[in-house]
Amino acid sequence: MRKVIVIGTGPAGLTAAIYLARANMNPLIIEGPEPGGQLTTTTEVENFPGFPEGIMGPELMDNMRKQAERFGAEFKTGWVNGVDLSKRPFKLSVEGQGELLAEALVISTGASAKYLGIPGEKDNVGRGVSTCATCDGFFFRGKKIVVVGGGDSAMEEASFLTKFATQVTVVHRRDELRASKIMQDRARENEKIKWALNRTPVEVVAGEKGVTGLKMRNNETGADELLETDGIFIAIGHTPNTKFLGGQIETDEVGYILVKPGSSETNVPGVFACGDVQDNKYRQAITAAGSGCMAALDCERFLEGSHASEWSQALSK
Ligand code: NAP
């Protein structure tokens, strides 16, 4: 049995791991299918304090992992299939690791890229459809690319992809972009970026060798249009990774874990949440890291408190 298990290795989970390990809690960290989290699929991080010249996302995550390991955090890889939070110790069923027990849990499983859910999309993942410009941009050297979405991610991916592509078209379902002004301005200044606004993607068109186009509905005229392209990058946001909790932790209607305001406490005592899995608003590496620190401190206090009450009960017998 472990004192505490941390599920997830983005900035939130790894910061919790650093704090818990330094507090001699010997945390076990479960690393899932996206080790390092979303920052491993980004390029340069310019706004994480302490790096005046910026730092590459994967390098930042690698540093955080090494920092946690330095203080004794132990890592295991596996998909958490299910949990039993009905009583302590909590039970975790982890693929390849069997059943694990812990007195406390820190959930930092983040959020995963959303898909459009249109015909041809899923069939062509890896054949021209991607949700990660950093991972796949290189394959589109000298080609035409579409980026779907109107948020900061879409602007960032479109700008990044102009390093490889001859032309990047941003397809967005409304006239107005959701992205912050600075990100919009950067994209608009880039001559390689074209705009197909007020267009809703309806089908990914592909041939034997992969994607050849995106069929879109023109929301002004209602007519279908075909945009020829070699690649389609979907940048329409994320879904919180909370399915494995089986409804045992309170979430909002989208699935983001609800924590008590100003803390990392969930509705189950001894279960703490941090990072994007509980943050639909800020979603930044630094806020995730900050909330990871909160979860570690809350967890430490919880374990000390529950031990204190166990001891006082034992003494009173
Ligand atoms: P987002 O802000 O939620 O934007 C998602 C975009 O995808 C929206 O424009 C949305 O359209 C569109 N969309 C959603 N579902 C769609 C569907 N089914 N079909 C077509 N379009 C769809 O997500 P995000 O861009 O990933 O950003 C998430 C958070 O991370 C934000 O807070 C953002 O500021 C932050 N972020 C920051 C940076 C940075 O500062 N470097 C970089 C990336 C992300 P509507 O606008 O019509 O809803």
Side-chain angles (χ1 to χ4, degrees):
M1 179 161 77
R2 312 294 298 218
K3 268 189 195 154
V4 51
I5 293 180
V6 177
I7 313 174
T9 54
L14 291 179
T15 304
I18 292 166
Y19 272 77
L20 290 165
R22 279 193 83 242
N24 286 331
M25 294 275 161
N26 305 108
L28 173 66
I29 324 299
I30 309 286
E31 200 160 43
E34 294 173 32
Q38 291 175 58
L39 275 195
T40 56
T41 65
T42 194
T43 46
E44 198 161 10
V45 182
E46 293 176 326
N47 50 10
F48 200 89
F51 301 93
E53 306 302 325
I55 181 167
M56 298 305 279
E59 192 187 346
L60 179 60
M61 297 322 298
D62 199 41
N63 287 347
M64 286 191 200
R65 196 184 199 279
K66 285 188 186 135
Q67 199 172 346
E69 280 173 327
R70 181 180 148 211
F71 295 111
E74 195 187 323
F75 288 77
K76 283 191 179 186
T77 303
W79 180 273
V80 181
N81 289 319
V83 292
D84 180 357
L85 308 179
S86 59
K87 57 179 188 300
R88 289 174 57 217
F90 303 123
K91 273 190 212 160
L92 267 69
S93 155
V94 184
E95 205 170 280
Q97 309 290 345
E99 195 171 79
L100 303 176
L101 298 176
E103 287 186 56
L105 275 186
V106 172
I107 302 171
S108 47
T109 43
S112 296
K114 272 197 217 163
Y115 284 88
L116 294 161
I118 57 174
E121 183 189 39
K122 282 279 170 82
D123 308 338
N124 288 296
V125 171
R127 301 178 75 244
V129 173
S130 170
T131 56
C132 176
T134 324
C135 320
D136 301 327
F138 182 79
F139 302 116
F140 294 87
R141 203 170 276 273
K143 305 215 160 150
K144 279 187 186 171
I145 300 179
V146 161
V147 172
V148 181
D152 280 340
S153 296
M155 298 306 108
E156 193 173 60
E157 302 233 322
S159 299
F160 172 71
L161 287 166
T162 58
K163 288 186 188 176
F164 308 101
T166 50
Q167 182 181 305
V168 176
T169 307
V170 174
V171 174
H172 179 44
R173 61 186 177 184
R174 291 185 298 131
D175 255 344
E176 203 181 303
L177 296 168
R178 178 179 294 278
S180 56
K181 189 172 179 309
I182 183 169
M183 304 285 279
Q184 283 194 37
D185 288 350
R186 262 188 217 171
R188 287 196 192 278
E189 280 161 19
N190 191 324
E191 284 175 2
K192 278 190 174 178
I193 298 181
K194 310 287 172 216
W195 304 88
L197 300 181
N198 222 354
R199 307 278 196 294
T200 300
V202 289
E203 187 184 341
V204 171
V205 182
E208 260 175 36
K209 289 188 183 156
V211 169
T212 56
L214 178 68
K215 202 188 273 182
M216 326 171 283
R217 192 181 58 236
N218 181 327
N219 293 328
E220 229 172 280
T221 63
D224 278 355
E225 295 171 357
L226 180 69
L227 182 60
E228 283 181 11
T229 184
D230 303 298
I232 300 172
F233 285 79
I234 318 279
I236 59 167
H238 293 82
T239 307
N241 296 317
T242 47
K243 258 200 183 143
F244 72 100
L245 295 169
Q248 295 172 75
I249 295 282
E250 257 173 40
T251 65
D252 67 10
E253 64 287 354
V254 181
Y256 285 93
I257 292 179
L258 296 174
V259 290
K260 288 190 190 142
S263 95
S264 64
E265 289 171 35
T266 68
N267 63 310
V268 176
V271 179
F272 304 89
C274 52
D276 283 12
V277 77
Q278 54 82 55
D279 175 16
N280 193 12
K281 186 175 174 191
Y282 299 104
R283 298 188 279 199
Q284 299 299 300
I286 188 66
T287 50
S291 72
C293 163
M294 287 166 67
L297 296 180
D298 288 343
C299 182
E300 228 179 287
R301 277 178 206 137
F302 170 82
L303 288 173
E304 278 164 10
S306 61
H307 282 149
S309 69
E310 279 162 26
W311 291 330
S312 64
Q313 272 174 21
L315 286 172
S316 65
K317 277 182 189 163

